[in-house]
Amino acid sequence: VLEEGEPGASLETVLPSDAVLEAEVTSNRPDCLGHLGIARELAAASGRPLKGDFMPLFTGGIEPPGTDLVHVSIEAQDLCRRYIGAAVSGVRVGPSPLWMRRRLQLAGSRPISNVVDISNYVLLEYGQPLHTFDLARLSGSEIRVRRAWDGESLDCLDGVTRQLNGQMLVIADAQRPVALAGVIGGAESAVSPQTRDILLESATFDGTNVRTTSRALALRTEASSRFERGLVPELALAGARRAAQLLTQVAGGSVHRGWAESYPRPQEPVRVRLWPIEIDRRLGVHIPLEEAEASLSRLGFQVQVGEDGAWDVLTPVFRADVGIPEDVIEEVGRIYGGNRIPARLPARPSQARTSFQTERPLDRMAETMIGAGFTETISPALTASSRQEALGLGEGLVRVGNPLSDEMDCLRTSLLPSLLEVAVLNRSQGRREVRIYELARVYSSVPGLGGQPQAPVETLTLATLTSSDDHGRPTLIGLKSVLDRMVKGAGRPAPTYTPAQGTLFHPGRCVRVNIGNAMIGLLGEIHPRSVRDFDLDGRWAGFEVMSELLALPWGGFRVPDLPRYPSAQRDLAVVVAEPALAADLLASITRTGGSLLEQVVAFDEYRGKQIGEGRKSLTFALTFRSPDRTLTDAEVEEVMDEINRELAAGHGAELR
């Protein structure tokens, strides 16, 4: 509905043609959540001057001083760095002028009244949220910025009454809360058509607290989306001055001088010392110093050159994300243009490699996994508690207090579900063979003494997952050999394997991995139920070992001398009862063989009618060698006889 203009005239004489730009602002740049910030970036990139300044001019004001009308105190100084309360008298609440309504509508904001529209206009222009109170509807002459009291409630502007808790920050008058700091105002103190005197609020609230409050109440507003990114205190003064200008021009108000303010922790200037040569070295391209300095100047930086040639760079007050030389160099590179920087690898100084003894153990473990044909994956530590509980991993869950979503409401207790999700992604892309591993932390919460809560325990864990071979069999022997190689490289005794059960593993195809008497993890075939839960097909195997192995010092590998004398090989097949473990027989053979037994490997297991019910045949390959002579058949047979007697006595084994 047009309120001005002559019939038949061009529409552009009343509604100028406006361009609407949609910008995606990263979380570290709250200064660009207003038109002024975007304009500054465009001016710097195009080399044109910026129309306007960060800090608007505002002088004068009527009597009495605003400090005589209202007093401001910040009780929760850790949650509010600055609070400005500007008193304005004689406002006339009504519709905003067409140009303001038009701009608000183009920016996606609904015009309400001139006083409210000014707050929204400054928010969109400067990125500083504001709020206006009806001064006559405030109890007493004080504003207190404090934590809410348990049991307090607030009738909000959207018509919803919300219950507050002691972690939330409120703006209160002498009797009650009148606004939820940084999120939403209260209905009882809102501006109405009858309002004549207002209190303009411009403040700086703690971003983390605003984000926590917003999520706890499931209420996200234009104000909270800006505060939670971390606004600077100097922006509060700029926003208040700009709003004061507009209230005088648009709403007919008279601003009182002497604004009520509390600023317990003033913003300190940030200076960065930078050697100009670092700009070229970091960016990989030569940028003339005059061009680099001009780019910084257009962005609001002040550069002073010291006697030693170093730059003393004063960052603009609205840029809280700049604090180190690399940040300043990045600003130069942005304005110079990433497309102008040639793509080439940075030069690396040559240096001698560290020895195996001094390399980080985790690097050596990664080399072992990659050498065995596995690909490293990196997955989020946050996961869904419903999925963990469905997999039987709900015990000891560490839950997130304010989760981003139901899919990220707890920390994982095992890496295997993460690997199974990666396997699903690989299969969906047509990759049949999957061999992956992850080296990361898992988390669990266990009760302390007397059932008292205890801080979550972080455990560094290595997990692997592999699909079945061409015959549909999981490669358990291959996984075992990889694990054996790791432990051997760590200079520790070879691990032993005993039958076990694990939540995610097949009950009859899972073993416990031990080093000495300590259990370090599980190895086995993934339970078919778990495979189905992830909509996978086929058979899968993996292992998951804990920090007891990962913390082992890597002793490196010692290449032995080539043997000077030939070896003697023997095969030994014995029949034992079904419950007998090959690992136990292997240990007895190794112990009895003594120094002449160089190696023993179990390579076959047989069951059949020839063996008998409840029995099985195990076959071992033995290698004998002496370091100082060639062994005779008699010497080898003597050791073999001792081994046979030990197996018969200790395990009831019979030669097959």
Side-chain angles (χ1 to χ4, degrees):
V1 178
L2 301 180
E3 299 174 354
E4 55 187 62
E6 295 294 331
S10 172
L11 182 63
E12 289 191 356
T13 62
V14 180
L15 298 178
S17 177
D18 291 314
V20 177
L21 303 179
E22 186 171 336
E24 182 177 351
V25 180
T26 56
S27 59
N28 66 321
R29 293 298 303 274
D31 59 295
C32 288
L33 290 176
H35 285 68
L36 183 61
I38 298 295
R40 184 184 299 108
E41 291 291 315
L42 294 175
S46 61
R48 299 169 61 184
L50 177 65
K51 297 180 180 179
D53 192 10
F54 168 73
M55 189 62 68
L57 294 176
F58 184 80
T59 58
I62 66 172
E63 298 290 345
T67 51
D68 292 350
L69 303 177
V70 65
H71 173 70
V72 170
S73 64
I74 301 178
E75 298 177 9
Q77 296 187 5
D78 57 326
L79 302 182
C80 179
R81 293 189 60 182
R82 189 177 196 177
Y83 191 96
I84 299 173
V88 185
S89 298
V91 298
R92 295 185 297 275
V93 179
S96 299
L98 181 60
W99 63 267
M100 179 175 285
R101 299 202 310 271
R102 174 69 173 168
R103 291 185 179 181
L104 290 175
Q105 289 169 340
L106 289 173
S109 182
R110 179 174 62 90
I112 299 175
S113 67
N114 50 8
V115 174
V116 177
D117 291 350
I118 287 170
S119 298
N120 293 331
Y121 190 89
V122 175
L123 178 141
L124 293 171
E125 187 178 32
Y126 273 77
Q128 170 65 42
L130 304 173
H131 186 65
T132 50
F133 300 99
D134 187 328
L135 197 56
R137 302 173 73 177
L138 295 176
S139 299
S141 59
E142 62 176 322
I143 287 292
R144 300 166 57 196
V145 185
R146 60 170 174 83
R147 285 179 169 84
W149 300 332
D150 290 333
E152 280 189 318
S153 62
L154 177 67
D155 296 333
C156 299
L157 285 171
D158 59 358
V160 178
T161 299
R162 293 180 169 85
Q163 298 299 317
L164 311 180
N165 61 53
Q167 301 301 317
M168 299 176 180
L169 187 69
V170 297
I171 311 302
D173 59 15
Q175 295 182 357
R176 70 200 190 284
V178 293
L180 194 57
V183 181
I184 195 171
E188 295 181 4
S189 60
V191 173
S192 68
Q194 292 75 37
T195 299
R196 291 297 175 263
D197 303 326
I198 66 172
L199 180 69
L200 172 67
E201 170 194 282
S202 184
T204 306
F205 302 118
D206 178 71
T208 301
N209 180 263
V210 172
R211 180 169 57 250
T212 302
T213 300
S214 176
R215 289 180 180 170
L217 298 176
L219 176 63
R220 185 175 176 84
T221 61
E222 290 288 344
S224 67
S225 66
R226 285 163 172 79
F227 277 124
E228 67 184 20
R229 300 195 187 199
L231 301 182
V232 295
E234 290 301 308
L235 183 60
L237 179 59
R241 287 186 173 184
R242 177 58 172 152
Q245 289 179 349
L246 293 173
L247 284 169
T248 302
Q249 299 169 9
V250 174
S254 298
V255 182
H256 291 262
R257 69 173 184 86
W259 294 348
E261 179 181 9
S262 180
Y263 196 5
R265 292 183 294 146
Q267 181 178 342
E268 297 290 339
V270 177
R271 295 184 177 274
V272 178
R273 184 175 172 82
L274 170 67
W275 291 95
I277 194 174
E278 286 295 306
I279 298 176
D280 292 356
R281 192 175 73 85
R282 294 284 186 179
L283 296 179
V285 64
H286 174 64
I287 299 179
L289 295 184
E290 296 80 4
E291 182 178 349
E293 186 175 352
S295 298
L296 292 174
S297 178
R298 292 198 299 272
L299 289 171
F301 293 81
Q302 299 179 26
V303 180
Q304 291 184 347
V305 182
E307 296 181 356
D308 56 355
W311 283 5
D312 180 28
V313 182
L314 177 65
T315 67
V317 293
F318 48 81
R319 292 296 301 275
D321 60 308
V322 177
I324 59 177
E326 286 76 9
D327 293 335
V328 178
I329 295 172
E330 182 182 4
E331 296 300 303
V332 175
R334 285 196 310 113
I335 302 304
Y336 180 77
N339 58 320
R340 298 172 61 189
I341 299 177
R344 59 170 178 261
L345 292 175
R348 295 184 59 188
S350 60
Q351 58 183 9
R353 284 195 51 148
T354 56
S355 65
F356 284 168
Q357 284 76 13
T358 59
E359 281 183 328
R360 295 177 62 241
L362 302 187
D363 293 341
R364 295 290 300 137
M365 295 188 69
E367 288 182 10
T368 301
M369 296 305 303
I370 295 171
F374 287 81
T375 301
E376 183 179 13
T377 67
I378 301 175
S379 54
L382 289 172
T383 185
S385 59
S386 57
R387 170 58 66 89
Q388 294 282 299
E389 292 168 349
L391 294 172
L393 301 173
E395 184 178 357
L397 275 183
V398 180
R399 300 183 184 273
V400 179
N402 292 285
L404 295 173
S405 67
D406 292 340
E407 299 300 317
M408 305 177 72
D409 63 347
C410 73
L411 293 168
R412 60 188 174 189
T413 58
S414 170
L415 295 180
L416 285 174
S418 301
L419 294 181
L420 287 166
E421 291 179 356
V422 175
V424 172
L425 179 62
N426 276 263
R427 282 291 174 88
S428 68
Q429 300 298 319
R431 186 177 182 87
R432 299 299 302 173
E433 182 182 2
V434 179
R435 294 170 63 85
I436 53 179
Y437 80 95
E438 183 166 3
L439 184 58
R441 297 184 184 277
V442 297
Y443 307 84
S444 64
S445 178
V446 295
L449 296 176
Q452 296 297 319
Q454 181 175 321
V457 177
E458 301 182 18
T459 306
L460 195 58
T461 303
L462 171 68
T464 65
L465 183 70
T466 177
S467 55
S468 53
D469 59 19
D470 294 337
H471 302 286
R473 297 182 300 240
T475 55
L476 292 174
I477 299 300
L479 289 175
K480 175 181 176 295
S481 67
V482 173
L483 201 51
D484 288 344
R485 193 182 317 164
M486 268 187 208
V487 178
K488 180 180 179 181
R492 294 302 178 95
T496 58
Y497 302 87
T498 55
Q501 291 189 354
T503 303
L504 298 179
F505 292 96
H506 192 294
R509 300 167 186 164
C510 174
V511 293
R512 165 177 164 164
V513 185
N514 311 283
I515 295 182
N517 296 324
M519 172 184 173
I520 66 168
L522 296 173
L523 180 150
E525 183 177 340
I526 305 300
H527 200 294
R529 180 184 63 246
S530 300
V531 174
R532 289 194 302 270
D533 287 343
F534 285 87
D535 294 328
L536 289 170
D537 57 3
R539 297 167 66 180
W540 297 77
F543 66 72
E544 188 167 26
V545 292
M546 302 302 175
S547 57
E548 285 84 354
L549 171 63
L550 305 184
L552 295 177
W554 284 82
F557 297 95
R558 181 181 181 278
V559 179
D561 296 334
L562 293 175
R564 299 180 58 188
Y565 299 96
S567 63
Q569 283 80 30
R570 297 289 189 273
D571 288 346
L572 175 62
V574 295
V575 178
V576 293
E578 180 65 41
L581 299 178
D584 294 339
L585 274 71
L586 196 68
S588 296
I589 295 173
T590 302
R591 183 175 59 255
T592 307
S595 60
L596 296 183
L597 181 61
E598 184 179 73
Q599 185 181 37
V600 56
V601 177
F603 70 89
D604 186 56
E605 184 180 67
Y606 172 77
R607 295 174 181 83
K609 296 180 180 179
Q610 298 88 336
I611 304 301
E613 188 70 24
R615 296 169 70 78
K616 62 183 177 183
S617 172
L618 298 174
T619 305
F620 302 87
L622 291 77
T623 301
F624 296 91
R625 192 193 307 270
S626 172
D628 52 13
R629 66 185 189 281
T630 299
L631 294 177
T632 63
D633 289 342
E635 289 177 308
V636 174
E637 292 303 326
E638 181 180 352
V639 178
M640 288 293 296
D641 291 340
E642 293 180 10
I643 291 174
N644 290 332
R645 288 193 294 270
E646 174 62 25
L647 295 180
H651 305 279
E654 300 176 359
L655 283 176
R656 182 181 171 191

